[in-house]
Amino acid sequence: MSAVDFKGVARLLAAAATAMERNPRLNPDQALRLVVWGDARAQYPGAGEPGADLYDEAHTAIEAKTGWQGHGIDHIPAKEAIPAARAEAARFHEMGGGH
């Protein structure tokens, strides 16, 4: 994996949170896939492929923030995932230099 695109991850997390707010049927995994690849059911393309690094970073951030490590983010309730994604978006934004 290359250097982390902190601002890109921040934008992805914020957009995924918004997607879950707008469509309560989306789980966090589907929201990330929708934002990254344009389809909530998109297949993971494989490490190093376009969007995979951003997806991986955002996935891990939501999983760690909610404490659901190892359980898959598709099972995290939106009421937990949305604030986690927003908090992690703010953190990644700051790590990317803020502004």
Side-chain angles (χ1 to χ4, degrees):
M1 184 162 103
S2 58
V4 176
D5 176 1
F6 294 112
K7 296 244 179 168
V9 175
R11 286 189 298 271
L12 171 55
L13 287 163
T18 299
M20 287 184 282
E21 289 168 343
R22 290 182 177 165
N23 183 349
R25 294 179 309 216
L26 289 177
N27 66 51
D29 183 65
Q30 292 170 324
L32 289 176
R33 289 172 191 269
L34 178 63
V35 175
V36 174
W37 296 298
D39 184 343
R41 295 180 309 253
Q43 292 295 312
Y44 182 80
E49 295 297 318
D53 288 348
L54 289 175
Y55 172 88
D56 290 343
E57 289 289 340
H59 181 282
T60 301
I62 291 171
E63 190 176 50
K65 186 70 174 178
T66 59
W68 282 65
Q69 292 92 327
H71 300 286
I73 67 170
D74 54 325
H75 299 295
I76 301 172
K79 67 180 181 178
E80 290 180 48
I82 292 168
R86 294 251 181 246
E88 288 297 275
R91 186 174 72 86
F92 273 87
H93 181 75
E94 287 302 314
M95 289 190 308
H99 311 300

